[in-house]
Amino acid sequence: MGEPGPVPPAGSAGSAGVAELVAELVAAGRRLVRHGLVIGSGGNLSARMPGGSSCLVTAAGSWLDELTGEDLSEVALSDGAVLAGNPAPSSEVALHLASYRVRPDVRAVVHVHPQHAVLLSAL
């Protein structure tokens, strides 16, 4: 198996659903930061891909308010293999994969670390 390729851009065959998921994840990251629910790279997002055998997940260290399609990895639900996109998914990809495996009805996972919750846990 070669290097993971980029997440298919809008307009390629069968990519309409993928382009929509990318746009929704990018918008969600910006909203989370704008509403003060997270700062910078304090969390990760994912969405189940059409067909249900993989998901898009933010890459390790991604700043949620600066996401682009290049900050996403397509990861197989079965074994966590990176299929396309950024080769370094979030270190918490296992949490996302477990959620999708246990709950076939789950379409997306938003896992953030709000600064006030982190502060309270540190105290």
Side-chain angles (χ1 to χ4, degrees), residues 52-105:
S53 62
S54 63
C55 68
L56 289 179
V57 63
T58 51
S62 295
W63 286 71
L64 297 182
D65 58 338
E66 297 177 5
L67 287 177
T68 69
E70 293 178 4
D71 297 313
L72 300 172
S73 304
E74 181 181 358
V75 179
L77 297 186
S78 60
D79 62 2
V82 176
L83 304 174
N86 193 302
S90 167
S91 62
E92 296 177 340
V93 67
L95 170 90
H96 296 258
L97 297 177
S99 299
Y100 293 123
R101 289 179 192 139
V102 172
R103 295 280 308 272
D105 59 318

